[in-house]
Each structure stands twice: as structure tokens, then as C-alpha cells.
Amino acid sequence: MLTSRIAISGFGAVGRATAHLLLARRDRYRTVFGVDVRLVAVCGSRSGAFDPAGLAPDRFDVLEAGLSGPDFIASSGADVLIEAGPSDFRTGGPGLDYIRSALTGGVDTIVISKGALVCDGRALRDRARASGAMLKISGATAAALPTIDLLHYNLAGCTTLRVDGILNATSNYLLDAMMIRGVGLDEALAEAQAGGFAEPDPRNDIEGWDTACKLLILANFGLGADLMMTDLTVEGIQSVTSGHIAQWRADGLAPRLVGSVIRDGDALRASVGIRTYPPNDPFAHIAGKNKAIRIETDAMGEIVAIGGGSGPIATAAAALKDLEHIFQSRSLR
Ligand SMILES: NC(=O)c1ccc[n+]([C@@H]2O[C@H](COP(=O)([O-])OP(=O)(O)OC[C@H]3O[C@@H](n4cnc5c(N)ncnc54)[C@H](OP(=O)(O)O)[C@@H]3O)[C@@H](O)[C@H]2O)c1
């Protein structure tokens, strides 16, 4: 039986959900892949836990001070890193150093946070290529909604002509509430925050930055683009007024915050903004906290994927889908 040693950096809601799901699936990994999976290290910003024989959930409650940082993870002997720290697309966030260190050391890396991929995606890909490490990013690209895997696997060989995505559940919920129930943005936002699915600081969601991050990562990692955030036109939903809502209702249109990448000759152009859809368009029916992606290709036509859960468990499951793909690619089956 082969052994795979896993480390998780960033041990908040998603990191913990990933740890629990990973341990709950250990029998599956043994049966399907013939791999004994051990969670050898976890860490937050200042503390963590380590056991080369594998951590059990009772070690998650009280973490040990000082066990944190890229060097701690490197010294754990992990052969797979799952990075689940905060997303900061302006600096790359703390995840950047963990990911750089892991890829440099040839450690397969599953990235859930978006910041590092936005800020330094090309260099990270180069590091992975140089060391032979795999770099998987489902968690950072709308998680449970298949996006990057559609481009990499299902549409392999096709030329993608256009991608449109409703990639941010919070802004979709807010727009939907304004359209269907006639509430204002502030009221809808207060509801979403009370329900725990909008951040206390919701600007990244509302102003379109979270959508832009996912779109940029999809364009760069899925379509071979080399875009920076400054290449994107980004508009959010913060300026939607009751006048807009009344007009869209009168016209029978459904507004959605959509990120689009469009092939224009050899170039790819990306933007985020509100687009409106007639009732016969699938995007008109993406309600509430739902997400969707539509991909137009030269040879396979148009593909639409809708749904996928949001939240820590669905995100953890997307990261562990990446882990299974690593096992398959490494022929650990
Ligand atoms: N929540 C979701 O449903 C969801 C969905 C999709 C994607 N994501 C992405 O998943 C990531 C994690 O989200 P979350 O909800 O789990 O956030 P969270 O609960 O705030 O957890 C973030 C974790 O990162 C840790 N951290 C901060 N700086 C660190 C450092 N220098 N080294 C190691 N760990 C550090 C924090 O440690 P301390 O506890 O010590 O501060 C905390 O454990 C984010 O990038 C988010 O965008 C989340």
C-alpha cells in the first residue's frame, strides 16, 4: 500500500472541513487507489499540529503555538499541500509563500485561495513545471461548480471561443432578491450577512472583484492567457438602483453579474459586469445562491453547467476531487 502524506495550510472553515472530509474518506482512498492517506500537518497563522503517523480529529481542537509557516509545512514531509488560507488578490496573501515553497520542493499542491493564483499564476505554473509538481485549482475557480475541469478535461482539444460565468453566489443572491422581492441592496445584503453567506466586508463580492479573480484564473490557467487584473474591466452590482430594477422587470429581462472571456483573434478579452438575459436563456434561471458557466467552443458547441453547492464542505469536496485527480495522474490506483 502506498502512502500519501497531506498537509493543510489555512485552518479556518474550509481547511477544517477539508481535514474532516479527508479523514472520512480514508477507506475510499485505500479501496479505490490503494493509498493510505495520512493528514500529517495542519496550521493556521500562528499554530498547528503535526504527526507523521497521521492526525486524528481530536488534534484539531487545540493547536500548538509556533507550528505554522511554509518551513513548518515543508518539514512535515507532506507530498501534497492543500492551501486554504485567506484570499488576497492584491498581495497574493499568505498562501503565496506556502504554494511557492511546496511547488519548489516538488510537492503536489491544491490551491483553494485565489490571491496567489491571481498575483503570480504564471510563475507558480513555471515552478510546478520545473519541479514536476502538480498544481490543482478547482477550489479557487468556483469550487463545486465544474469550471477549470471542463476546460482541461471535458473540452480538451477544442478552441474555446467564449466563457461566461455567474461565479459569485452572493452577488447573484442579492440581484435576485432585488428583482424578485423588490428589496433594496442594503436590505438584501443584511439578509445575506445574517444568513452567513455574505462577508462582513462584502466589497469583493458586490464590486465584482471575486468574480474577476475567478475569471482571471480561468483565463490564465484554463485558456493559456496571461492576463493581469488591470487588463480586466470590472463592474459590480453596487450601483444598481430601483430604476434599473423597474426597467429590467418592464423589459422581461433577468440581470446577472457575469464574468466573460471572449476570444478576439489571438487575444482574449475579459470583463465583469451586469448582463441581462431573456427568459429563454439558461442564465435567466440561475436563482439565489446558484452559479453557472457557459463555454462556447469551436468543435463541441456550447456547454452549460449550473449549480454546485457553496460553503466550506462543497469547497472542501472540490479540493478533494483535485486530490483524486492527482492520485489518478500519478497512477496511484
Ligand atoms: N468559506 C467558503 O465557503 C469558501 C468557498 C470558496 C472558497 N473559499 C476560500 O477558502 C479560503 C479559506 O476560507 P475560510 O472561509 O476557511 O476562511 P477562514 O475561516 O477565515 O480561515 C482562514 C484561515 O487561514 C489562516 N491563516 C491566515 N494567515 C495564515 C498564515 N500566514 N499561515 C497559515 N494560515 C493562515 C487563518 O488562521 P488563524 O485562524 O490563525 O487566523 C485561518 O485558519 C479563502 O481563500 C476563501 O476565499 C472559501
Side-chain angles (χ1 to χ4, degrees):
M1 172 102 37
L2 295 159
T3 302
S4 180
R5 295 172 182 79
I6 315 288
I8 299 176
S9 64
F11 207 52
V14 172
R16 285 171 184 271
T18 305
H20 285 290
L21 195 56
L22 179 87
L23 295 185
R25 290 182 175 177
R26 286 189 73 206
D27 284 347
R28 170 179 168 76
Y29 300 135
R30 279 197 201 94
T31 309
V32 176
F33 300 102
V35 181
D36 176 25
V37 168
R38 295 182 195 170
L39 179 61
V40 295
V42 300
C43 75
S45 62
R46 288 177 297 274
S47 55
F50 169 67
D51 189 337
L55 295 163
D58 61 346
R59 295 286 302 278
F60 302 162
D61 297 334
V62 183
L63 300 180
E64 196 178 325
L67 299 186
S68 177
D71 291 345
F72 162 64
I73 294 293
S75 67
S76 73
D79 44 58
V80 178
L81 168 68
I82 302 176
E83 196 285 317
S87 284
D88 183 340
F89 73 90
R90 293 180 176 87
T91 66
L96 185 54
D97 286 339
Y98 286 91
I99 299 165
R100 280 178 176 157
S101 164
L103 292 176
T104 304
V107 172
D108 292 332
T109 302
I110 295 167
V111 181
I112 297 174
S113 69
K114 293 169 279 291
L117 301 174
V118 170
C119 287
D120 206 27
R122 171 185 272 251
L124 294 177
R125 271 183 294 174
D126 290 346
R127 270 179 205 246
R129 214 169 285 127
S131 70
M134 296 186 72
L135 174 57
K136 305 291 287 179
I137 59 169
S138 293
T141 48
L145 175 74
T147 58
I148 192 74
D149 282 350
L150 285 177
L151 296 170
H152 279 165
Y153 296 96
N154 308 81
L155 302 172
C158 292
T159 298
T160 297
L161 306 174
R162 178 174 180 132
V163 176
D164 293 291
I166 299 172
L167 301 173
N168 181 266
T170 304
S171 56
N172 202 57
Y173 172 89
L174 298 175
L175 265 181
D176 215 34
M178 293 164 82
M179 279 296 285
I180 305 296
R181 293 190 283 118
V183 296
L185 180 58
D186 290 344
E187 193 182 333
L189 181 58
E191 281 175 16
Q193 286 170 327
F197 52 90
E199 301 285 331
D201 180 353
R203 284 175 297 180
N204 280 347
D205 293 330
I206 288 177
E207 295 175 4
W209 297 111
D210 179 72
T211 301
C213 287
K214 291 168 184 161
L215 187 72
L216 183 144
I217 298 168
L218 279 176
N220 287 354
F221 282 78
L223 303 178
D226 196 15
L227 299 175
M228 295 188 298
M229 201 52 109
T230 47
D231 297 320
L232 275 68
T233 311
V234 181
E235 289 170 5
I237 64 169
Q238 68 274 27
S239 307
V240 173
T241 64
S242 55
H244 293 117
I245 298 288
Q247 189 63 55
W248 289 326
R249 279 192 186 145
D251 294 341
L253 296 172
R256 302 285 176 242
L257 184 67
V258 172
S260 302
V261 186
I262 300 171
R263 189 173 295 282
D264 180 7
D266 289 338
L268 288 163
R269 305 196 192 292
S271 63
V272 176
I274 294 178
R275 331 243 189 262
T276 54
Y277 297 92
N280 62 355
D281 190 297
F283 271 24
H285 304 282
I286 310 304
K289 292 181 276 178
N290 236 331
K291 293 176 286 190
I293 190 165
R294 170 159 45 204
I295 304 174
E296 194 183 320
T297 69
D298 59 344
M300 287 201 203
E302 190 176 282
I303 306 290
V304 180
I306 296 171
S310 300
I313 291 173
T315 306
L320 296 186
K321 171 191 69 171
D322 284 350
L323 180 66
E324 297 210 8
H325 286 158
I326 288 173
F327 290 161
Q328 284 166 4
S329 297
R330 300 247 180 249
S331 293
L332 299 181
R333 61 180 159 173

